[in-house]
């Protein structure tokens, strides 16, 4: 069996996340599997690099699958895209020689979160950025982001509902940029807890709105109580933006 | 009765155009009228500055209506936006003193058309730009645009189905810009025939693809036969981008 890694981009608005669920609930994973199965001529099971939630997007996402089909790798993107809806695209493909697994082989991931800080909602950012009309202090938000960098127990900024052995993760960078009225936060880590980026963004927004101080964040993480941190921000502003792998997939995502 | 002009922005993907049609067919105009009626407390009829088609967007659109309500003009955008869905926003409002009519008072309008020229479709441009994967020559497209400038009979680039006394219009400018893989054509005229911008864009794309020459365009307009010009491009790439008025609305759209 050939072990294939795909680079995907998708607008998650119409989907109940990545994870294959029960029939009748459209997910990115199930939609991809159906398309791959149709083109490959046999039933395909795909593994995603992470479980994005309902309404969450991906600029760059890795999905792996095994196949006996003989389609040459360079022809795969166009071949699969003909079977995919317009809100999911295969950008690139490569063949892995070793024990590649889209989730287990992933070294680190980056998410971005977009927030539109205008008095009036921009219709073209609907489901693409979180609309926040209140006053925000960029410097405080930037200082808040820095507090999340490093190895911490992130229990305070995760939603319950997923099983994990440990809530300790290492955040390699967390920063926020402003372009006009749009704030974009980037967070890179070795792994993410459920809703972690959305809760970090909620806490950063609380700092920007003056509800808490950036210096409160270390103690808040220490305490580990979800209720002390900011709200889980809506899914439409969240994008998986980059993934890192060793081997062939690593080159593809470089 | 107060005569109010609104500056709107909308994502037209979910709508069957501006024009109020039969019940059950969602249109931007009917959605706006329902919201205005609810907030103003009486039935409101709105006049739009142009009949955008199904799936066509507006970055800046003018709608006028008359009301007895006492809402101060500066509070109107937020008041109306609370009653509107997220894909339609009132950006601004003003009160007209004279005989303002959103369509009859309009001096000129500008549309833009966006085309994404990539081998692989970008999911985030779905319904926002026309996807065109073939090779295009920017210089030829730019030369083609120039041929539409001036006072001409534009019968060759309109779809039948609308009644107009004359098919002569004056195009003040028509040009195309390229930013990365996205081409944006801007056309400003004293008026537009049905599907005129989409057919101009189709003709410009034909020039870019080498199917006709820019120098063929004057004769093509002269002949006035729709079949000689390029195709009517899909609606998702089209945006009403600017409108010009005298008086208070003129200042609002400046």
């Amino acid at each position: 069996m050939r072990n294939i890694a795909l680079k995907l981009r998708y607008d998650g608005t119409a989907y109940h996340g990545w994870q294959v669920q029960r029939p009748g609930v459209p997910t990115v994973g199930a939609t991809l599997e159906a398309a791959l199965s149709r083109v490959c001529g046999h039933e395909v099971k795909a593994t995603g690099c992470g479980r994005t939630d309902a309404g969450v997007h991906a600029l760059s996402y890795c999905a792996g699958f095994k196949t006996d089909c003989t389609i040459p790798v360079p022809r795969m993107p166009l071949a699969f895209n003909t079977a995919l809806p317009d809100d999911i695209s295969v950008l690139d493909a490569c063949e892995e020689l070793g024990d590649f697994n889209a989730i287990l082989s992933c070294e680190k991931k980056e998410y971005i979160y977009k927030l539109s800080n205008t008095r009036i909602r921009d219709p073209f950012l609907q489901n693409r950025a979180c609309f926040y009309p209140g006053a925000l202090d960029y410097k405080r938000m930037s200082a808040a982001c820095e507090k999340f960098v490093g190895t911490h127990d992130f229990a305070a900024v995760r939603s319950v509902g997923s099983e994990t052995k440990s809530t300790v993760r290492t955040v390699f960078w967390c920063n926020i940029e402003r372009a006009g009225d749009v704030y974009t936060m980037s967070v890179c880590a070795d792994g993410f807890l459920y809703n972690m980026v959305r809760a970090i963004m909620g806490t950063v927004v609380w700092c920007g709105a003056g509800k808490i101080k950036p210096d409160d964040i270390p103690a808040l993480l220490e305490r580990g109580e979800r209720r002390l941190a900011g709200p889980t921000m809506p899914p439409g502003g969240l994008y998986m933006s980059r993934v890192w792998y060793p081997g062939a997939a690593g080159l593809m995502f470089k």
Side-chain angles (χ1 to χ4, degrees), chain A:
Chain A
M1 294 282 265
R2 298 162 75 197
N3 202 356
I4 305 295
L6 300 177
K7 185 178 186 175
L8 299 182
R9 172 176 287 197
Y10 57 83
D11 177 335
T13 306
Y15 299 95
H16 290 254
W18 168 267
Q19 189 85 337
V20 177
Q21 300 181 345
R22 59 189 185 284
V25 177
T27 62
V28 180
T31 305
L32 180 71
E33 287 182 347
L36 297 179
S37 300
R38 204 149 65 245
V39 176
C40 293
H42 63 84
E43 200 188 333
V44 170
K45 286 288 162 201
T47 305
C49 61
R51 287 211 248 168
T52 64
D53 270 325
V56 173
H57 315 294
L59 297 173
S60 189
Y61 185 97
C62 183
F65 70 102
K66 292 186 174 172
T67 182
D68 287 323
C69 81
T70 57
I71 305 168
V73 161
R75 294 184 60 186
M76 284 188 174
L78 289 183
F80 297 145
N81 284 332
T82 56
L84 282 166
D86 291 352
D87 48 11
I88 304 176
S89 276
V90 176
L91 303 181
D92 206 351
C94 69
E95 188 162 350
E96 283 287 345
L97 298 176
D99 273 349
F100 179 80
N101 177 293
I103 192 154
L104 300 175
S105 310
C106 188
E107 294 169 340
K108 57 186 183 186
K109 293 176 211 169
E110 185 197 59
Y111 281 93
I112 61 170
Y113 194 97
K114 291 192 182 218
L115 180 144
S116 169
N117 185 223
T118 47
R119 212 171 61 91
I120 290 174
R121 193 187 292 271
D122 184 342
F124 294 101
L125 294 178
Q126 188 197 4
N127 301 321
R128 302 273 176 95
C130 168
F131 170 61
Y132 187 90
L136 288 173
D137 184 312
Y138 173 62
K139 277 192 183 167
R140 287 170 61 103
M141 293 170 82
S142 197
C145 284
E146 283 175 30
K147 305 293 182 184
F148 291 99
V149 177
T151 302
H152 304 284
D153 185 330
F154 286 99
V157 284
R158 66 132 179 194
S159 299
V160 288
S162 61
E163 309 282 306
T164 42
K165 275 172 237 140
S166 162
T167 49
V168 174
R169 295 290 183 275
T170 297
V171 168
F172 301 110
W173 62 77
C174 178
N175 52 57
I176 192 158
E177 292 190 352
R178 185 182 179 170
D181 300 319
V182 177
Y183 290 80
T184 304
M185 180 182 74
S186 309
V187 190
C188 176
D190 58 355
F192 290 89
L193 304 171
Y194 186 50
N195 279 347
M196 179 170 148
V197 181
R198 290 160 60 185
I200 289 178
M201 188 64 185
T203 309
V204 168
V205 166
W206 264 17
C207 286
K211 290 188 185 175
I212 57 171
K213 291 193 295 287
D215 284 339
D216 296 338
I217 292 174
L220 181 155
L221 289 176
E222 189 84 17
R223 291 275 294 276
E225 294 175 49
R226 180 68 190 86
R227 63 180 182 84
L228 298 176
T232 300
M233 300 295 278
L238 186 63
Y239 300 71
M240 183 172 283
S241 51
R242 218 176 146 191
V243 284
W244 283 262
Y245 290 94
L251 291 171
M252 181 170 72
F253 283 100
K254 213 174 169 87

